[in-house]
Amino acid sequence: MRKFIQSIMLLALSAQLFAQSSDWVYATMTHESALSLQSSHPSGIVILATEGNVSAVQIQHQLAPSLKSGNLHGPGYIYRTDAQDAVQALTKNAPKKFNILDFTITEDMFVNEVLGMVSQENLGNTILELENYGSRFHTTSSGRQAALDLKEKWQEMAQAANREDITVELFQHQLTQQRSVILTIPGTEVPNEIVVIGGHLDSGDWSLQTNAPGADDNASGIATMTETLRILLAKNFHPKRTVQIMAYAAEEIGLVGSNEIATQYNNQNKNVVAMAQFDMTNYNGSSVDVGLINDAQFTSSELNLFWVELMEHYNSTGEHRITYGTTACGYGCSDHVSWTENGYLASFPFESSFGEHNPFVHSEEDTFAAMNNDASHSVKFVKLALEFVIEIAKVSTMSTQELNKTDIQIVVQNRDLIYQFNSSNKSLNSMAIYDSSARNVLSKNQLNASGRISLQGIPSGYYIAVFKDNQGKSHSKKFLLK
Ligand code: BES
Ligand code: ZN
């Protein structure tokens, strides 16, 4: 009997201990946030280490919302599994294996065939389907179910296309019960090189757990990737490099899903060539269609330059026209950060300029109805996702090689760009040079078929030169100015 009582007491004690310890989590945040929490809630935070402007901390998770204003988004913190993980995160970084010259535009034929295939109706249906869970907050049963259902949905799509090579897996996490979903299209020639597109499947945040429709944030991103997948399957796309499509768990509380995945990839030395994040694609709030997020700390300038090249090449005129500008979150705002932190090249084409995005983000009003039941803005992001995946992973047939020869040749010599345009039926109109923050550093009109353009005064670095012909078609070339 005494033993019985003793063990009951022990059980009660350990339950209490557990409750206490589960209130505390490990995280990293800006040193400034850590200091301000320390003065407002001295018993709620322990600063473990600081490196530059980032601190590893142990913190009571209830304090998370106080880092943000109301329901709004803003600098928060990134969850870490334990103290060691938090401290190591301060110095983590694997070497970059790929550079700007590894990204080329060669798959015109395939890409031009798929750009017209995007269905706005499918996008709308997927957004509504996800909104109808009520909440996809990571701790809710509806949120956990949404991950399982998405896995089934992607799996059925692959099966219906007779693609036995494609796998869809659930990724089990340490810090959340919600699963992430990973679809893999194996590469035929270099399967160990991986191209990732991703977005979070959860919704809500600490102060919005039950009624969190998350239609734009981020049902729209999941819909964008699902429609991209449908088109790749319809075209029986087999890539040379492996393609992975990822729907992350528990982004909204601190990038949990993507962080555990990217950390594992890094630990296993997986070779991710490039990643693009799709988080909020359906609210058309800016004069430009796309805000290319370019926070220097969190995005790859190599990939941002490639995005400029892609959009100049495929989306500068006609029915697939997409306009863009650059913008910054100013903090680690989404899952691309997890990949950057692990040394991979990551990018984030966003629905608008930062600040002109959907005003209902993280509220009960983030619904499809609030976006006029109109998914036309997301259509553009499916086109971007297709261009990114197809051009980086490459189509696995020899048949498209013929189309690869470009009409324009350039050489850079003594700070002059020498060009030659070879076409019997077209002439050149104009050219523009962009730097790796997508800034236009030089423009010229009325060009001859060949010529020399002075680059005096332009700093060293990587650039792209985009030439436009008299039919409005773009021809782009990258170059290194020493
Ligand atoms: N989709 C948002 C990020 C976002 C919101 C980007 C508005 C640009 C404009 C994302 O789901 C989010 O809410 N992120 C958190 C940060 C994260 C580390 C928890 C945020 O922005 O507060
Ligand atoms: Zn959010």
Side-chain angles (χ1 to χ4, degrees):
M1 186 63 184
R2 234 176 75 201
K3 233 194 164 142
F4 178 63
I5 289 174
Q6 245 176 16
S7 52
I8 290 273
M9 277 172 60
L10 249 169
L11 233 131
L13 187 72
S14 61
Q16 204 189 357
L17 267 177
F18 181 73
Q20 232 172 38
S21 64
S22 66
D23 286 347
W24 286 84
V25 296
Y26 293 94
T28 51
M29 59 175 65
T30 62
H31 187 50
E32 198 188 332
S33 299
L35 288 178
S36 100
L37 276 181
Q38 203 172 38
S39 67
S40 59
H41 303 83
S43 58
I45 181 168
V46 181
I47 300 180
L48 305 169
T50 299
E51 187 78 39
N53 63 348
V54 186
S55 292
V57 301
Q58 196 182 10
I59 177 182
Q60 276 185 308
H61 80 71
Q62 295 90 329
L63 296 187
S66 63
L67 288 173
K68 314 200 176 200
S69 40
N71 273 348
L72 292 176
H73 55 88
Y77 55 72
I78 299 173
Y79 264 77
R80 305 292 170 185
T81 356
D82 50 37
Q84 194 192 5
D85 185 34
V87 173
Q88 277 176 357
L90 299 178
T91 52
K92 180 155 85 177
N93 241 330
K96 285 181 195 166
K97 297 188 183 74
F98 293 89
N99 71 45
I100 217 158
L101 300 175
D102 293 312
F103 305 114
T104 56
I105 296 183
T106 55
E107 310 300 305
D108 287 74
M109 190 170 80
F110 200 90
V111 173
N112 284 321
E113 282 173 14
V114 298
L115 292 182
M117 292 173 71
V118 186
S119 157
Q120 188 176 323
E121 193 188 339
N122 288 346
L123 285 161
N125 289 341
T126 309
I127 292 173
L128 263 183
E129 217 170 275
L130 290 165
E131 174 180 333
N132 286 338
Y133 282 93
S135 172
R136 302 185 308 283
F137 190 63
H138 78 116
T139 56
T140 60
S141 57
S142 53
R144 293 204 302 270
Q145 190 60 41
L148 307 183
D149 293 348
L150 185 64
K151 184 215 177 203
E152 290 301 313
K153 180 173 176 143
W154 285 356
Q155 202 150 41
E156 278 163 20
M157 288 168 71
Q159 270 158 10
N162 285 321
R163 290 293 296 265
E164 277 156 21
D165 58 322
I166 294 179
T167 56
V168 190
E169 281 156 333
L170 291 169
F171 191 103
Q172 225 175 307
H173 294 289
Q174 300 191 32
L175 290 176
T176 177
Q177 300 285 319
Q178 191 176 47
R179 308 281 168 89
S180 293
V181 185
I182 303 179
L183 177 139
T184 305
I185 313 178
T188 56
E189 290 181 24
V190 262
N192 66 324
E193 294 185 4
I194 307 169
V195 181
V196 174
I197 55 173
H200 65 95
L201 68 88
D202 64 321
S203 66
D205 63 23
W206 286 114
S207 41
L208 184 75
Q209 302 198 8
T210 49
N211 192 353
D216 193 28
D217 184 11
N218 183 31
S220 67
I222 301 295
T224 298
M225 295 191 294
T226 304
E227 180 62 3
T228 302
L229 172 65
R230 183 192 68 79
I231 295 166
L232 293 175
L233 293 172
K235 291 289 298 173
N236 194 31
F237 174 62
H238 284 269
K240 290 182 180 168
R241 288 174 164 146
T242 294
V243 173
Q244 293 199 307
I245 304 182
M246 303 191 177
Y248 305 113
E251 182 267 357
E252 296 285 10
I253 57 157
L255 312 180
V256 166
S258 59
N259 180 41
E260 289 188 18
I261 293 171
T263 301
Q264 188 190 87
Y265 274 46
N266 189 2
N267 291 341
Q268 296 177 350
N269 279 319
K270 287 201 182 175
N271 199 356
V272 174
V273 182
M275 103 61 76
Q277 173 73 359
F278 291 91
D279 183 3
M280 301 173 68
T281 64
N282 201 47
Y283 180 81
N284 193 349
S286 286
S287 57
V288 289
D289 296 321
V290 177
L292 202 48
I293 302 278
N294 70 353
D295 300 85
Q297 201 184 341
F298 304 120
T299 60
S300 146
S301 59
E302 294 88 339
L303 285 185
N304 280 341
L305 192 63
F306 189 56
W307 275 117
V308 169
E309 195 175 6
L310 284 174
M311 290 190 274
E312 288 295 335
H313 189 87
Y314 287 117
N315 312 108
S316 65
T317 52
E319 60 169 321
H320 304 305
R321 181 158 188 265
I322 299 174
T323 59
Y324 64 89
T326 54
T327 189
C329 279
Y331 62 97
C333 59
S334 195
D335 300 300
H336 59 296
V337 174
S338 300
W339 293 96
T340 302
E341 262 194 12
N342 280 286
Y344 299 113
L345 303 184
S347 63
F348 183 12
F350 184 62
E351 67 185 9
S352 65
S353 290
F354 187 80
E356 294 178 336
H357 56 269
N358 194 323
F360 300 126
V361 55
H362 295 193
S363 84
E364 298 179 0
E365 292 166 275
D366 181 9
T367 61
F368 191 42
M371 298 183 284
N372 304 316
N373 296 307
D374 177 342
S376 55
H377 202 53
S378 292
V379 167
K380 301 160 195 162
F381 288 83
V382 177
K383 292 176 183 175
L384 295 186
L386 287 164
E387 291 164 15
F388 186 87
V389 164
I390 295 165
E391 287 292 4
I392 301 184
K394 301 296 180 196
V395 181
S396 154
T397 53
M398 301 312 276
S399 56
T400 54
Q401 294 305 322
E402 255 311 279
L403 278 144
N404 293 349
K405 50 178 175 17
T406 49
D407 295 331
I408 194 101
Q409 306 289 320
I410 65 166
V411 240
V412 175
Q413 239 171 40
N414 304 328
R415 303 226 144 221
D416 276 345
L417 185 143
I418 302 160
Y419 70 91
Q420 179 160 3
F421 185 62
N422 312 302
S423 170
S424 49
N425 55 350
K426 288 179 269 179
S427 61
L428 276 188
N429 267 359
S430 62
M431 71 90 67
I433 296 179
Y434 299 88
D435 72 9
S436 61
S437 359
R439 250 192 313 268
N440 177 207
V441 295
L442 188 73
S443 300
K444 287 259 185 268
N445 290 317
Q446 292 171 329
L447 296 181
N448 297 323
S450 62
R452 181 183 281 264
I453 293 165
S454 167
L455 303 174
Q456 286 303 335
I458 299 178
S460 302
Y462 281 108
Y463 294 90
I464 54 169
V466 182
F467 293 81
K468 292 229 164 100
D469 66 29
N470 60 336
Q471 295 173 9
K473 193 175 182 310
S474 299
H475 309 260
S476 64
K477 282 277 181 213
K478 284 195 199 76
F479 65 89
L480 173 64
L481 186 61
K482 288 192 182 139

